[in-house]
Amino acid sequence: MNPLYASMPTTIFEEMSLLARATGAINLGQGFPDGSGPADLLQAAADAVLTGSNQYPPSMGLPQLRHAVARHYQAHQNLDVEADDVLITSGATEAIAAALLAVISPGDEVILFEPTYDAYLPLVLRAGGAPKFVTLRPPDWRLSLEDVEAAIGPKTRAIVFNTPMNPTARAFDRTEMAALAALCVAHDLVAICDEVWEHVLFDARRHLPLFAFEGMAERTLKIGSAGKIFALTGWKVGFVLARPHLLGPLARAHQFLTFSTPPNLQAAVALGLGKSAAAFDAMRADLQRSRDRLAGALAAGGFSVLPSQGTYFLCVDLAASGVPGADREVCLRWVREAGVAAIPLSAFYASGHRPGDVVRLCFAKADAVLDEAAERLIQWRKAV
Ligand code: GLN
């Protein structure tokens, strides 16, 4: 057995979801909405199962979906792309794995931003890469360009960049991103951009893709996911946008990971991506309302809630909330004693520079679920 995996724990998402199921706790841990998804997309997928092909689609993806992804990014992010720049994968995680396998040679260094979404580090290591961490700090989680520059050396090959960022719920601003892009150009780095939360942005923010910054289109692998866009996290339909010289090697890696992605789900996603801008605005408004509901209730109950600019998540600073203890221990107590599952941010730190104890809560839930969860946490806090 490879020692990396032999000694690895189950992901924090699965661990907390299993505990929530076993205890009957409200699950605000793993990030998934509690609805069943948009009815028109469910119907389109069902129709495609019954009337469309159920055999292997092309490894690059259904042509109609590749065109739909390109048109979507032209319309929503003003990107100069076409269907040939698009590859369809079985979710963003597969796209990230394929990107790292295609870009990294043994010994290459890869910049990761901490707190680091949990899949990145094991995938970098298994691809033979050496991680270099740049640690972000609450409450504002700003990118320090000095820290990024200090992490870059002659062996640095790539950065893995996630905006809006999970688990911090921060969307990086134009100044930070322009400086990051300039460093990528100056040091000839490839940017592997996990942008699965690109549509889940609040307070009238617009998504900034690193791909659009000067000199970046030729060196960026931009990754998106239908799961987050349409609240269908189990579908696992992802897409990669990149120029052919980068997309080609990634497609070679993809052909030996999953080869292709269920054609019926691809057909339904193609339909969804063509929806009007108003449909995406409505989705954002709905989630923003849920964010405000949970954040407001927790803050009124004495919790210190950090700003959430995007994603399904908000973070709570435990020490500032008057809750003693390590974040992981608090999460284990919450699930058993309060009946609420959350995610400790310590699961996303490997460098040893973890700044404080912070937990992440998912607010993509019905009002009654959010109200009940907040009430349980507030009562628990009063009792300890
Ligand atoms: N992206 C999800 C989250 O952050 C987790 C996905 C998974 O469990 N692999 O909660």
Side-chain angles (χ1 to χ4, degrees):
M1 293 296 281
N2 181 281
L4 175 67
Y5 294 118
S7 63
M8 187 183 287
T10 303
T11 77
I12 190 68
F13 305 119
E14 179 79 353
E15 182 189 358
M16 285 297 165
S17 284
L18 289 174
L19 274 174
R21 271 186 214 119
T23 58
I26 297 175
N27 191 355
L28 303 190
Q30 193 175 34
F32 60 90
D34 60 1
S36 51
D40 52 352
L41 265 68
L42 301 181
Q43 188 63 54
D47 291 347
V49 167
L50 293 175
T51 62
S53 167
N54 285 283
Q55 309 306 336
Y56 300 124
S59 181
M60 293 297 291
L62 282 191
Q64 74 208 68
L65 179 55
R66 296 178 72 201
H67 279 99
V69 170
R71 277 197 301 271
H72 185 82
Y73 284 130
Q74 289 160 9
H76 291 264
Q77 295 175 18
N78 201 22
L79 297 182
D80 173 22
V81 292
E82 48 188 272
D84 284 349
D85 299 321
V86 177
L87 165 73
I88 306 305
T89 60
S90 293
T93 305
E94 194 227 339
I96 293 161
L100 289 165
L101 290 174
V103 169
I104 304 304
S105 299
D108 284 348
E109 290 178 359
V110 181
I111 310 267
L112 299 176
F113 298 90
E114 267 188 331
T116 316
Y117 181 69
D118 72 340
Y120 304 162
L121 176 59
L123 291 172
V124 166
L125 292 171
R126 204 63 183 92
K132 288 278 162 184
F133 291 100
V134 172
T135 303
L136 310 180
R137 289 184 167 70
D140 53 2
W141 310 107
R142 280 199 75 77
L143 203 56
S144 153
L145 271 299
E146 294 73 44
D147 288 356
V148 182
E149 199 151 22
I152 297 173
K155 289 184 175 170
T156 310
R157 173 80 181 117
I159 65 169
V160 181
F161 186 61
N162 176 216
T163 188
M165 186 184 186
N166 178 8
T168 63
R170 170 95 207 285
F172 295 98
D173 67 26
R174 191 174 289 282
T175 311
E176 291 165 293
M177 291 186 60
L180 186 63
L183 283 179
C184 289
V185 171
H187 296 276
D188 194 21
L189 308 182
V190 174
I192 299 170
C193 293
D194 174 352
E195 299 182 10
V196 299
W197 302 103
E198 59 199 339
H199 272 294
V200 188
L201 272 167
F202 308 128
D203 310 310
R205 282 187 183 78
R206 302 304 302 177
H207 180 63
L208 298 173
L210 202 57
F211 190 98
F213 284 75
E214 198 179 335
M216 291 307 292
E218 305 308 310
R219 59 181 66 254
T220 299
L221 293 155
K222 172 178 163 51
I223 294 166
S225 168
K228 307 301 189 292
I229 299 179
F230 301 113
L232 293 162
T233 60
W235 276 24
K236 305 293 289 182
V237 178
F239 12 92
V240 185
L241 194 75
R243 296 296 187 227
H245 68 283
L246 290 177
L247 198 62
L250 195 153
R252 299 294 104 71
H254 157 75
Q255 69 186 351
F256 299 126
L257 285 171
T258 60
F259 182 73
S260 64
T261 298
N264 353 76
L265 300 182
Q266 291 194 52
V269 169
L271 185 87
L273 288 174
K275 286 189 182 193
S276 69
F280 296 96
D281 288 342
M283 177 271 282
R284 273 188 283 276
D286 203 36
L287 281 166
Q288 181 169 322
R289 216 183 36 76
S290 299
R291 174 199 67 171
D292 293 345
R293 193 172 184 103
L294 182 63
L298 289 173
F303 284 97
S304 174
V305 179
L306 302 181
S308 165
Q309 301 177 340
T311 76
Y312 292 160
F313 312 115
L314 58 75
C315 289
V316 169
D317 183 322
L318 292 180
S321 304
V323 176
D327 57 0
R328 185 179 159 81
E329 304 318 313
V330 171
C331 286
L332 291 173
R333 288 190 65 186
W334 278 4
V335 74
R336 296 203 175 93
E337 297 170 16
V340 178
I343 299 290
L345 258 62
S346 53
F348 308 107
Y349 286 89
S351 74
H353 294 117
R354 186 164 67 87
D357 288 286
V358 177
V359 301
R360 192 196 81 175
L361 294 165
C362 173
F363 52 74
K365 309 287 173 188
D367 288 354
V369 175
L370 297 176
D371 294 350
E372 174 64 22
E375 187 53 29
R376 289 182 186 188
L377 292 175
I378 290 164
Q379 292 310 328
W380 181 90
R381 180 175 168 279
K382 278 190 192 148
V384 290

